[in-house]
């Protein structure tokens, strides 16, 4: 096992555990109930995954799916749910930073004086750490929640970058995936912060749960790598049917379209439409991002139509030449053993309606 691979695998998962523990600590501080520390037990799943990955995969990732990212979502999402539901109970001043700096300096001076009196370096470090933790606790709840959201999404991108890649994914595909994740994370953060900050939304408990459910659903795309990888084709007869060939050739593009329509922009558009249509909530940013979601969904449907027409044209050209349209990822030997049944299926798929209508008249 390479040392760098081992180091990246351990450091990334350690960052995931530390961030989730900070979320659990914040929930415990806000709720003022020690029982919420039980949420920290979810990190045992991540520890178990780390051991299994190091043993069976030598620290490297899996194909199409990242268990570490998925388990990190399981560890941190419940804490963010509780913080959002408990949102807004702590007052935030207009300039909290200046107040915190002044108080922090005073407390640090007091801790320094106490450490001089005791003449202990260890005591001084402990006092400084206590002061630092106390000052973190004085930051208002809304700032804490937003900071956890921001660091959560940033850590997803950085963590996916640091995690060792498997043999099935190339560095070029990883770079494409990271660029997609950056744009996706920005849209998700905007959706959560923009909708949940509306005053009328905060008064509706059911609406908060619905928005958080859509937000959680949108996070499920991060453990998956299908948007940059082709599924590949097996040289079996069942894998050569028209839908399978379409999925084989355009698997990455189709997955990207599916994510946008069913996981991100589609659900976001539905939520924003309900806010404006049913609850009569309007503001400039809400209208703008609703229009943006409409545009993205329309463009994705247009892209889907272009892919389908391009594939149909390719199959038509191949059938006229007497060839069989196979996935480019198949070897040449597999393409050469296409059966007559497969040719008939493709001819039926691309046969013009006019020729079909003329066939009965020739019999008569």
């Amino acid at each position: 096992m390479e040392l760098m691979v081992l180091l990246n695998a351990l450091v990334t998962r350690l960052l995931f555990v530390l961030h989730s523990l900070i979320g659990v600590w914040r929930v415990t501080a806000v709720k003022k109930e020690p029982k919420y520390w039980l949420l920290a037990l979810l990190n045992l799943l991540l520890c178990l995954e780390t051991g299994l990955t190091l043993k069976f995969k030598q620290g490297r990732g899996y194909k199409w799916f990242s268990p570490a990212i998925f388990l990190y979502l399981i560890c941190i999402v419940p804490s963010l749910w509780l913080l959002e539901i408990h949102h807004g109970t702590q007052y935030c001043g207009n300039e909290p930073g200046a107040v915190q700096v002044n108080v922090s300096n005073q407390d640090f001076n007091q801790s320094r004086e106490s450490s001089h009196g005791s003449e202990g370096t260890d005591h001084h470090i402990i006092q400084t750490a206590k002061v630092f933790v106390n000052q973190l606790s004085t930051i208002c709840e809304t700032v804490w929640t937003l900071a956890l959201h921001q660091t959560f999404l940033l850590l997803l991108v950085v963590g996916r970058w640091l995690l060792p890649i498997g043999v099935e994914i190339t560095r070029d595909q990883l770079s494409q995936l990271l660029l997609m994740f950056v744009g996706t994370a920005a849209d998700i953060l905007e959706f959560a912060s923009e909708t949940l900050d509306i005053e009328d939304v905060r008064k509706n408990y059911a609406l908060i749960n619905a928005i958080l459910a859509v937000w959680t659903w949108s996070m499920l795309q991060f453990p998956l790598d299908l948007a940059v990888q082709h599924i590949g084709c097996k040289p079996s007869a069942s894998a050569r049917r028209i839908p399978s060939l379409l999925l084989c050739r355009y698997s990455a593009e189709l997955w990207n379209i599916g994510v946008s329509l069913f996981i991100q922009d589609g659900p976001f558009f539905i939520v924003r439409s309900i806010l404006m249509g049913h609850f009569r909530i309007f503001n400039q940013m809400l209208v703008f991002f609703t229009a943006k979601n409409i545009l993205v969904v329309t463009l994705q449907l247009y892209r889907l139509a272009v892919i389908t027409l391009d594939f149909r044209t390719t199959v038509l050209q191949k059938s006229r030449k007497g060839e069989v349209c196979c996935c480019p990822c198949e070897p040449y030997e597999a393409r050469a053993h296409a059966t007559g049944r497969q040719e008939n299926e493709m001819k039926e798929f691309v046969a013009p309606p006019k020729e079909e209508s003329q066939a009965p008249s020739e019999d008569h």
Side-chain angles (χ1 to χ4, degrees):
M1 186 187 306
E2 300 178 2
L3 179 60
M4 200 63 187
V5 173
L6 175 62
L7 184 62
N8 288 339
L10 293 178
V11 169
T12 305
R13 289 168 172 83
L14 179 61
L15 290 176
F16 290 162
V17 172
L18 290 178
H19 189 262
S20 63
L21 289 178
I22 292 175
V24 174
W25 165 70
R26 191 55 199 166
V27 171
T28 306
V30 168
K31 294 287 188 177
K32 302 185 185 304
E33 295 184 16
K35 67 179 182 180
Y36 286 101
W37 278 110
L38 295 176
L39 292 173
L41 296 177
L42 293 174
N43 290 282
L44 295 177
L45 297 175
L46 192 56
C47 296
L48 178 62
E49 183 272 338
T50 302
L52 294 177
T53 301
L54 294 178
K55 181 178 180 180
F56 296 104
K57 298 288 291 186
Q58 289 75 44
R60 297 193 175 275
Y62 295 81
K63 185 178 182 180
W64 300 339
F65 183 74
S66 176
I69 298 292
F70 179 72
L71 293 176
Y72 173 53
L73 294 178
I74 294 178
C75 294
I76 189 62
V77 166
S79 299
L80 293 177
W81 265 72
L82 293 172
L83 290 175
E84 288 291 353
I85 293 175
H86 198 271
H87 186 274
T89 58
Q90 186 174 351
Y91 174 76
C92 293
N94 295 328
E95 297 179 355
V99 177
Q100 291 167 4
V101 169
N102 293 334
V103 176
S104 177
N105 291 335
Q106 182 180 359
D107 291 341
F108 272 117
N109 292 332
Q110 291 178 358
S111 64
R112 191 175 298 174
E113 291 176 0
S114 62
S115 64
H116 282 306
S118 61
E119 294 181 358
T121 305
D122 295 338
H123 181 70
H124 169 63
I125 295 176
I126 294 175
Q127 290 296 328
T128 303
K130 289 182 178 179
V131 171
F132 180 72
V133 173
N134 290 333
Q135 291 309 307
L136 289 178
S137 301
T138 59
I139 300 177
C140 64
E141 180 183 340
T142 55
V143 175
W144 259 111
T145 304
L146 180 59
L148 285 174
H149 271 286
Q150 294 170 340
T151 53
F152 167 49
L153 292 170
L154 288 176
L155 194 56
L156 280 175
V157 179
V158 176
R160 189 64 187 87
W161 191 6
L162 294 178
L163 282 174
I165 60 177
V167 295
E168 297 86 0
I169 183 173
T170 63
R171 296 191 181 277
D172 177 65
Q173 292 173 336
L174 178 62
S175 63
Q176 297 178 30
L177 186 68
L178 293 175
L179 289 174
M180 293 174 55
F181 279 178
V182 170
T184 300
D187 289 341
I188 293 176
L189 178 62
E190 178 279 325
F191 170 77
S193 59
E194 178 259 330
T195 53
L196 292 175
D197 284 345
I198 300 175
E199 184 178 356
D200 293 336
V201 172
R202 284 295 175 187
K203 297 177 182 179
N204 193 327
Y205 184 77
L207 194 56
I208 293 176
N209 289 330
I211 292 174
L212 289 176
V214 173
W215 169 79
T216 304
W217 171 250
S218 67
M219 303 302 300
L220 296 180
Q221 59 186 298
F222 284 98
L224 300 173
D225 301 339
L226 289 174
V228 294
Q229 296 189 63
H230 289 283
I231 295 179
C233 299
K234 296 181 179 179
S236 59
S238 61
R240 294 171 181 268
R241 297 182 181 274
I242 295 299
S244 300
L245 290 174
L246 178 63
L247 181 61
C248 170
R249 176 171 294 185
Y250 299 103
S251 59
E253 291 84 352
L254 292 176
W255 172 252
N256 193 12
I257 294 173
V259 167
S260 178
L261 294 179
F262 300 107
I263 299 183
Q264 187 170 334
D265 290 285
F268 289 0
F269 166 69
I270 293 175
V271 170
R272 287 169 173 143
S273 300
I274 293 175
L275 291 178
M276 293 190 298
H278 181 73
F279 294 95
R280 303 298 179 184
I281 299 175
F282 294 94
N283 59 55
Q284 185 177 2
M285 297 303 295
L286 185 61
V287 173
F288 170 77
F289 284 107
T290 303
K292 179 243 183 188
N293 292 141
I294 295 175
L295 182 60
V296 172
V297 170
T298 304
L299 291 176
Q300 293 290 5
L301 292 175
Y302 174 73
R303 174 61 179 164
L304 180 61
V306 170
I307 289 175
T308 305
L309 293 176
D310 178 71
F311 178 75
R312 182 185 177 91
T313 303
T314 303
V315 173
L316 181 60
Q317 293 175 353
K318 295 281 187 179
S319 63
R320 287 176 177 176
K321 295 178 181 180
E323 300 177 0
V324 178
C325 179
C326 295
C327 180
C329 56
E330 291 186 4
Y332 177 78
E333 293 77 6
R335 303 180 192 180
H337 292 82
T339 62
R341 176 185 176 185
Q342 299 159 3
E343 294 179 356
N344 294 333
E345 290 179 355
M346 293 181 181
K347 289 180 180 179
E348 293 175 359
F349 177 74
V350 300
K354 185 177 180 180
E355 297 178 0
E356 294 178 357
S357 61
Q358 292 178 353
S361 63
E362 294 177 0
D363 296 336
H364 294 290

